[in-house]
Amino acid sequence: MFGLLEQNVLGRRCVWVNGAVIVGAGPSGLAVSACLREQGIPFVVVERADCIASLWQKRTYDRLKLHLPKKFCQLPKLPFPEEYPEYPNRKQFITYLENYAEKFGIEPQFNESVESAKYDEMCGVWRVKTVSTLPGSIQSETEFICQMLVVATGENAEGVVPEIEGLEEFSREVIHAKDYKSGEKYDGKKVLVVGCGNSGMEVSLDLSNHNAKPSMVVRSAVHVLPREIFGKSTFDLAIMLMKWLPLWLVDKLLLILAFFILGNTQNYGIKRPSLGPLQLKNNHGKTPVLDIGALEKIRSGNIKVVSEIKRFHRDSVELVNGNILEIDSVVLATGYRSNVPYWLQDNVLFGKDGFPKREFCNGWKGKRGLYAAGFTRRGLAGASADAIKISQDIGIVWKQELNHKKSKVPTHRRCISTF
């Protein structure tokens, strides 16, 4: 199926992949796989979890919906079902991804955590070493050897836990937003939500809807825009306007419209950045918050906006303005980060932050057969665009240089044994 050859070397498994190794079975990895499958190019997908799209299946809250219309979130070669709503929910999106994998015959090798990936200069191949993460099994190691490596682990592989004075002294529950499921168990409890991005706003809204008492920490300036303007997606409207107007002017129009619809957010303790929402996204990758009801809860006082944290105590938190809040739980909606620097030994395509060094339009391709899918900070649409470019580029290489090597052992056999 994959065009691969296996050998056991010193008790470890070595696999020669006559095609591409794709690290990650999330939307980005699935999209690249489908595009390669359409061209008949073999590949292997390795995934550390036991399912596809583990972020969506295991690390998202129950009420989550896509923030953008479905036409901007579908993967290549398969639109969403017509009966799906404009903003599919979490379960619908997971079903879509499962159907996507089935349609294109994508069968990841699950429970394989990549420990390292390094380019072998002598042999001209990538060596991807994995360790089995299957619970209850004897830990086994595998080395995948390939000439093309696609990094598709995504921008949100790991939750960020900030260093806050006294946090380790706090005696009550502290969880990251990736582990938050529902506000149902927080009925009547005082919950501190640290962060006011899309996750922080939505977790606060969910807590309020379940009769909790959320306080949301606003640590930095953020743009809050309505999800829709005049019945049209704000994102869709922005794309339409950018066809005719410069970016700065589109930003001005969006902020004027947001002011009339949502009011002045600074009145509620939420400051706006100096750069417009689109400029901020382009320059720094910071996504504006698309409001789906949290701002109304803030206006009514059901969600309290509080200043930055000074330190935690055993059962309370002290803010920089001197106020002390007694709280029952803490939800850290403090963002996510790439985990690429921990395992990929490459300093050409990726920087220390785990993102491509080059601008987003060129960040999908590195040297020596290395590719990056889903690191453009442009959501699912960006991941799909990357997948198409990557598969086309691999297709050219495959047809020109690799097709005649299909299902053959690489010339440098001696290199396989250097696990």
Side-chain angles (χ1 to χ4, degrees):
M1 175 181 177
F2 298 121
L4 54 81
L5 177 75
E6 294 189 22
Q7 290 189 359
N8 288 322
V9 180
L10 300 178
R12 298 180 177 92
R13 194 168 67 115
C14 288
V15 180
W16 165 255
V17 180
N18 193 32
V21 168
I22 301 168
V23 182
S28 299
L30 296 179
V32 174
S33 301
C35 292
L36 291 179
R37 177 73 76 217
E38 287 286 279
Q39 299 183 75
I41 300 173
F43 59 86
V44 168
V45 183
V46 292
E47 166 59 47
R48 64 179 177 176
D50 60 359
C51 62
I52 65 167
S54 62
L55 174 65
W56 285 87
Q57 299 215 48
K58 298 185 176 184
R59 293 186 289 163
T60 51
Y61 36 90
D62 295 342
R63 64 161 286 122
L64 181 64
K65 291 184 178 181
L66 296 179
H67 288 144
L68 301 181
K70 60 183 180 182
K71 68 178 180 180
F72 296 112
C73 301
Q74 62 193 26
L75 301 185
K77 307 181 185 299
L78 184 66
F80 280 100
E82 290 185 7
E83 64 271 18
Y84 270 31
E86 186 73 349
Y87 301 94
N89 62 35
R90 171 180 171 272
K91 289 184 178 180
Q92 289 170 326
F93 186 59
I94 291 171
T95 299
Y96 167 76
L97 294 178
E98 290 175 339
N99 291 339
Y100 190 88
E102 182 178 358
K103 174 179 173 62
F104 294 103
I106 304 168
E107 298 178 355
Q109 299 201 16
F110 294 119
N111 299 298
E112 294 284 350
S113 178
V114 176
E115 295 292 296
S116 68
K118 182 179 181 180
Y119 188 74
D120 187 325
E121 297 280 358
M122 180 181 295
C123 300
V125 295
W126 284 94
R127 295 182 174 275
V128 183
K129 295 182 181 180
T130 69
V131 174
S132 172
T133 59
L134 188 64
S137 67
I138 298 175
Q139 191 177 72
S140 61
E141 297 180 355
T142 302
E143 182 177 48
F144 295 91
I145 303 172
C146 59
Q147 290 181 294
M148 293 166 287
L149 175 62
V150 181
V151 179
T153 49
E155 305 165 351
N156 302 321
E158 306 289 345
V160 173
V161 177
E163 293 184 6
I164 306 175
E165 186 179 355
L167 183 59
E168 69 282 355
E169 300 172 16
F170 185 68
S171 62
R172 299 177 182 178
E173 180 191 58
V174 178
I175 64 170
H176 192 274
K178 67 182 177 63
D179 299 312
Y180 176 90
K181 293 299 180 183
S182 169
E184 188 174 359
K185 73 172 187 175
Y186 298 97
D187 186 3
K189 292 186 177 182
K190 299 174 183 177
V191 184
L192 186 73
V193 179
V194 183
C196 63
N198 278 299
S199 293
M201 287 279 195
E202 197 154 352
V203 167
S204 297
L205 174 61
D206 189 57
L207 286 165
S208 179
N209 288 340
H210 284 91
N211 299 313
K213 300 174 182 177
S215 295
M216 185 174 64
V217 176
V218 178
R219 300 180 298 160
S220 57
V222 62
H223 284 295
V224 182
L225 303 176
R227 185 169 69 173
E228 293 184 344
I229 296 176
F230 305 133
K232 190 177 186 64
S233 159
T234 300
F235 183 75
D236 204 355
L237 178 64
I239 289 178
M240 182 183 71
L241 291 174
M242 283 191 292
K243 293 179 180 179
W244 309 99
L245 302 172
L247 188 65
W248 67 268
L249 184 53
V250 176
D251 268 341
K252 288 285 187 183
L253 291 173
L254 290 178
L255 290 177
I256 291 171
L257 292 168
F259 179 84
F260 281 111
I261 295 170
L262 301 177
N264 186 355
T265 59
Q266 295 194 140
N267 293 338
Y268 313 112
I270 303 173
K271 296 181 179 180
R272 288 195 183 277
S274 56
L275 284 179
L278 299 180
Q279 286 181 302
L280 194 63
K281 178 68 174 175
N282 275 354
N283 296 349
H284 303 286
K286 191 171 182 180
T287 304
V289 171
L290 296 178
D291 180 57
I292 56 173
L295 205 57
E296 181 58 38
K297 293 282 188 177
I298 292 172
R299 286 197 201 97
S300 66
N302 290 317
I303 298 174
K304 293 182 179 179
V305 174
V306 299
S307 62
E308 196 168 350
I309 297 168
K310 181 178 180 180
R311 64 160 293 133
F312 279 92
H313 299 283
R314 182 173 175 79
D315 56 5
S316 63
V317 62
E318 182 180 350
L319 307 177
V320 292
N321 62 7
N323 290 341
I324 295 179
L325 304 177
E326 291 187 2
I327 50 177
D328 300 305
S329 297
V330 176
V331 179
L332 299 172
T334 45
Y336 299 83
R337 65 184 170 205
S338 162
N339 67 2
V340 174
Y342 299 106
W343 57 269
L344 179 64
Q345 298 178 42
D346 168 79
N347 59 3
V348 178
L349 178 59
F350 285 89
K352 293 181 179 179
D353 63 352
F355 284 83
K357 297 177 182 179
R358 305 168 74 184
E359 293 182 359
F360 75 91
C361 55
N362 298 312
W364 59 274
K365 183 180 179 180
K367 296 180 179 179
R368 304 177 299 193
L370 180 63
Y371 300 91
F375 290 89
T376 62
R377 293 188 173 97
R378 279 162 174 74
L380 293 165
S384 295
D386 286 346
I388 293 170
K389 294 174 186 175
I390 290 168
S391 64
Q392 289 174 343
D393 196 76
I394 289 177
I396 294 172
V397 175
W398 176 259
K399 291 173 184 176
Q400 291 179 348
E401 301 179 15
L402 301 180
N403 197 37
H404 66 284
K405 297 179 181 180
K406 201 170 186 179
S407 300
K408 292 184 179 180
V409 182
T411 303
H412 304 282
R413 272 182 175 270
R414 61 186 178 85
C415 295
I416 296 180
S417 63
T418 58
F419 189 87

